[in-house]
Amino acid sequence: RKSTPVITVYPETILNEYDNKGNLRFLDDHISLESQRFFDLRYDSETDRIIIPIRNEYGELVGVKGRYNGDAEGDIQKYYYPYPVSSSQILFGYSENYAFLQGNEVLVCESEKAVMQAYSYGYRNCLGLGSHTLSEKHVQLIYQLEPTKVIMAMDKGLKDQFINENINALRNYTRMSDMEIWKWIPGDEIPDKAS
């Protein structure tokens, strides 16, 4: 029997450890200041990291992800979790976008950044895996939304094998529903790893 990771709910006050301000790096990546405020992004001046609060489906703070505010080279990790969470148990944007996801078309992306970019362009029906693999918990959370359609929009360059495994996992779990499952195929004009 598989064990389910234990999710820790952190007090909101831990976010006070970080500066409450926007950042140019994400602004240049098409994440508006409004989007940065909505998702409560912060900045850690000690480690020069953009801080992304991670929330569960109930809106509780269950992790904090730090993105290095530069080009990660050598020993510098691009991402790390000062307050860890199992990404297999969380869909980024679920609680924040719930009203726009329930009974609607749902776009599933790899990253938290994609959800924040979508918000910047006025799209609120987007979820981020925090990886490229749908877990059983992810599938359950998506199914609970009763979506009309799910579009798997993974970053360009991800092997079809992984995308098809995600689609099959979703299809197997939802085979008794009328939900459509689509796969986004990026065009040549989209650069690799683009979200």
Side-chain angles (χ1 to χ4, degrees):
R1 184 176 160 202
K2 290 191 286 186
S3 62
T4 303
V6 175
I7 300 294
T8 302
V9 176
Y10 298 101
E12 292 288 329
T13 53
I14 67 169
L15 295 177
N16 296 336
E17 298 172 21
Y18 310 108
D19 297 327
N20 191 358
K21 58 184 175 183
N23 65 83
L24 188 57
R25 178 176 200 88
F26 274 15
L27 194 59
D28 288 343
D29 284 341
H30 307 282
I31 299 172
S32 68
L33 290 175
E34 179 186 345
S35 180
Q36 292 182 40
R37 277 191 296 274
F38 180 78
F39 289 99
D40 202 15
L41 297 191
R42 307 290 177 110
Y43 176 71
D44 184 358
S45 56
E46 284 185 37
T47 63
D48 191 21
R49 289 190 182 272
I50 300 162
I51 297 299
I52 305 168
I54 307 292
R55 300 184 179 280
N56 65 10
E57 65 268 31
Y58 308 111
E60 299 167 317
L61 184 65
V62 294
V64 173
K65 187 174 187 175
R67 199 286 186 206
Y68 183 64
N69 191 29
D71 295 325
E73 296 174 356
D75 293 340
I76 298 174
Q77 292 179 321
K78 186 175 180 181
Y79 290 101
Y80 95 108
Y81 289 87
Y83 292 92
V85 65
S86 174
S87 61
S88 68
Q89 303 302 299
I90 304 300
L91 284 169
F92 185 83
Y94 195 97
S95 63
E96 295 90 342
N97 291 330
Y98 184 81
F100 301 89
L101 295 162
Q102 179 69 36
N104 198 359
E105 183 176 288
V106 173
L107 192 65
V108 178
C109 302
E110 285 186 50
S111 69
E112 296 88 359
K113 280 179 61 178
V115 176
M116 293 184 275
Q117 288 166 331
Y119 180 98
S120 299
Y121 289 108
Y123 297 99
R124 298 288 306 278
N125 59 333
C126 190
L127 295 170
L129 300 176
S131 70
H132 63 265
T133 305
L134 267 178
S135 70
E136 186 175 340
K137 175 71 173 183
H138 290 152
V139 171
Q140 291 168 356
L141 288 170
I142 292 168
Y143 185 65
Q144 288 170 11
L145 292 170
E146 300 176 347
T148 55
K149 180 190 298 182
V150 174
I151 302 170
M152 299 301 298
M154 303 290 100
D155 290 359
K156 184 175 179 181
L158 183 65
K159 293 181 180 175
D160 273 347
Q161 169 197 344
F162 295 113
I163 300 169
N164 292 336
E165 286 172 4
N166 288 337
I167 290 171
N168 289 336
L170 198 52
R171 184 171 284 127
N172 289 338
Y173 193 86
T174 62
R175 61 181 167 264
M176 300 302 282
S177 79
D178 294 333
M179 180 182 74
E180 296 179 27
I181 304 170
W182 292 49
K183 175 170 65 172
W184 175 66
I185 301 172
D188 292 337
E189 73 283 2
I190 305 292
D192 276 352
K193 292 300 293 166
S195 57

